[in-house]
Amino acid sequence: MSIGEFPGYNSVVLSHRRLKIVIDQKIESWHGALANIKGIYLITDTSTGRHYVGKASGEDGIWQRWCDYSKNGHGGNVQLKKLMAQNDENYNDNFQYSILEIADTHASDEDILKRESHWMCVLQSREF
């Protein structure tokens, strides 16, 4: 499977399999775009419609956070670990990744946390 060039932040929609390809091949256009921004992203469980809203505020931005997910599907998140433990090892094939909001690398961790909370409220990801 091949992946095209980075489509722009508003157009990112990746299955877990495609995310693994992007990360494993370290596709330059994707790496350059995702490693240079902080932001809020959405993981959708396409089998249930449930949402997980996450934030990336580390040094390598969304790239680094998505590298974590590409390795094991849960990226260390407690709720996703629990979900994957309840299902088979390939359950992460149901996950779809997209970007809700970007911020430059100078945004404070506090600002990113506030935006994550905003999106959790909007999408009711805590309730569902």
Side-chain angles (χ1 to χ4, degrees), residues 9 12 17 21 34 45 51-52 58 66 69 72 118 122 128:
Y9 299 109
V12 172
R17 286 181 182 179
I21 293 169
L34 298 177
D45 181 340
H51 292 138
Y52 166 72
W66 284 8
Y69 290 114
N72 56 30
H118 166 78
V122 167
F128 300 103

Side-chain angles (χ1 to χ4, degrees), residues 3-18:
I3 307 294
E5 294 294 308
F6 183 75
Y9 299 109
N10 294 333
S11 300
V12 172
V13 179
L14 287 172
S15 67
H16 185 76
R17 286 181 182 179
R18 293 176 69 85

Side-chain angles (χ1 to χ4, degrees), residues 3-4 6-7 12-13 17 19 27 30 39 47 49-50 56 60 64 78 82 86 93 95 98 105 107 111 120:
I3 307 294
F6 183 75
V12 172
V13 179
R17 286 181 182 179
L19 175 67
I27 298 173
W30 286 83
S47 68
R50 289 186 171 172
D60 285 326
Q64 181 57 53
V78 174
K82 181 179 174 183
Q86 295 169 347
D93 286 344
F95 296 166
S98 56
T105 56
D111 287 342
M120 287 177 172

